[in-house]
Amino acid sequence: MIHLHDIRYVRLGTSDMDAAVKYSTDLLGLEVASRENKSVYFRSDSRDHTLCYFEGDPADHTVAFEVDTLEELQSAAQFLEGRGFQVHLGSATECEQRRVREFINFKDPSGNSVDLVYEPHHSGRRYFPTRDAGITGFSHIGLRTVNARRDERFWTELMGARVSDRIGDAPLLRIDEVHHKIALFPSTYPGVQHINHQVESIDDVMRAYYILKERNIPIRFGPGRHPTSGAMFLYFEGPHGMVYEYSTGVRLIQPEDEDTYRPRNFPFTPESFCMWGSRPDIPEFK
């Protein structure tokens, strides 16, 4: 089984780099780390970058997870190839583009592009946002799945994730103590479904709500509170229809609780997504 240390970054194609940069800085509140090779890298915490927009197809999405050692990365490549997955070993140029020492890329059973990376770069300076959004870091992603039960088995049996809760067929998966770092939502096609950043407090969630409304950014869900993770949230629309989320107060499942913790199964209803009564305007949540 592969051990995922942490989620690392998301790479997204864009057909309008200027608009993507303006949104990511002025509205989302990220810091531009660097611009090169038709790509712009953004920071949200101490990592070198957690989001990269590159000139390309807006449907081209990749999510990355970090492994602890080079031996684990090599073993993961062999493990996946032995089970029929096509694995690409990153070239020196590709490693430089991703700011890592080495990486492999493959597609999960639904076709989502996944990087496993070794020795990703860190930044030597504090994250300094363009807008004071209260962001404390990039935390999780939602992925689309065309077969949730099959993909749940892939992420748990091969990738070492654990199910924290389910909403209908949609599993919320943890790889450390955070309630979920990966969420799989049934769809008819693959891709990143939403990108989450944690913020310091409910004040940051509500401040963002009013700022985004004032600037006519579509609010897709919230403000609300998830009954699964306990997090207070706000989902809003980004470039090319990508959905971004701010949340705060996510539940932690500590190592000493692992032996006794059992996933809860929530019905696929609006109340299972928000305990306050907000209704989602997100296809995968309906």
Side-chain angles (χ1 to χ4, degrees):
M1 186 182 295
I2 298 168
H3 170 66
L4 304 178
H5 174 72
D6 199 3
I7 194 167
R8 195 67 201 186
Y9 57 70
V10 176
R11 292 175 58 84
L12 303 175
T14 180
S15 57
D16 189 342
M17 183 63 80
D18 289 341
V21 171
K22 182 174 178 59
Y23 180 93
S24 300
T25 53
D26 294 354
L27 293 172
L28 191 55
L30 304 183
E31 177 188 4
V32 173
S34 62
R35 304 170 186 248
E36 53 190 88
N37 299 322
K38 299 182 179 180
S39 299
V40 181
Y41 300 81
F42 301 91
R43 297 180 62 222
S44 60
D45 49 42
S46 63
R47 289 170 276 198
D48 175 88
H49 73 283
T50 54
L51 174 66
C52 174
Y53 272 108
F54 61 90
E55 292 185 10
D57 183 354
D60 188 350
H61 306 162
T62 296
V63 60
F65 296 89
E66 181 182 356
V67 297
D68 287 325
T69 68
L70 183 57
E71 290 72 24
E72 284 185 320
L73 185 67
Q74 294 167 341
S75 295
Q78 296 173 358
F79 183 78
L80 291 165
E81 287 177 334
R83 285 154 180 77
F85 293 90
Q86 290 189 336
V87 176
H88 170 72
L89 177 63
S91 67
T93 299
E94 290 171 326
C95 288
E96 183 178 345
Q97 291 172 345
R98 283 161 171 78
R99 309 292 197 267
V100 300
R101 179 174 170 184
E102 291 197 27
F103 80 96
I104 62 172
N105 175 269
F106 64 94
K107 291 186 176 180
D108 77 359
S110 281
N112 292 301
S113 176
V114 179
D115 286 350
L116 296 185
V117 306
Y118 169 61
E119 285 194 2
H121 294 181
H122 284 263
S123 175
R125 54 190 175 81
R126 290 181 297 178
Y127 157 60
F128 190 79
T130 306
R131 178 178 79 79
D132 184 12
I135 291 174
T136 58
F138 168 47
S139 181
H140 74 253
I141 47 93
L143 288 177
R144 294 184 176 90
T145 170
V146 299
N147 186 325
R149 294 298 178 92
R150 177 202 61 196
D151 288 0
E152 179 183 315
R153 290 192 298 271
F154 168 80
W155 285 97
T156 56
E157 295 175 9
L158 274 66
M159 305 301 289
R162 283 98 63 203
V163 178
S164 293
D165 291 310
R166 297 182 187 88
I167 305 175
D169 288 336
L172 309 178
L173 306 169
R174 67 186 184 278
I175 59 176
D176 53 22
E177 72 276 7
V178 177
H179 182 272
H180 60 280
K181 290 291 180 76
I182 308 160
L184 303 178
F185 295 106
S187 183
T188 57
Y189 60 98
V192 173
Q193 185 264 348
H194 77 269
I195 299 171
N196 170 276
H197 291 87
Q198 293 291 297
V199 295
E200 289 184 2
S201 73
I202 186 61
D203 293 332
D204 297 303
V205 172
M206 294 309 302
R207 188 178 299 112
Y209 173 76
Y210 288 107
I211 289 174
L212 294 167
K213 289 277 285 185
E214 187 178 87
R215 301 189 187 185
N216 296 315
I217 301 300
I219 303 298
R220 302 294 294 276
F221 191 19
R225 185 165 193 161
H226 291 307
T228 50
S229 68
M232 294 166 281
F233 65 81
L234 180 69
Y235 293 78
F236 46 98
E237 189 170 319
H240 310 295
M242 178 57 67
V243 174
Y244 284 93
E245 178 193 12
Y246 290 151
S247 67
T248 187
V250 66
R251 179 181 184 181
L252 302 180
I253 299 171
Q254 301 294 352
E256 58 267 25
D257 299 323
E258 286 289 346
D259 289 341
T260 57
Y261 185 84
R262 296 294 179 269
R264 299 167 296 174
N265 296 289
F266 293 77
F268 198 87
T269 63
E271 293 78 11
S272 296
F273 285 93
C274 180
M275 65 197 327
W276 291 350
S278 179
R279 294 294 189 264
D281 184 21
I282 298 174
E284 293 80 12
F285 290 3
K286 294 181 179 181

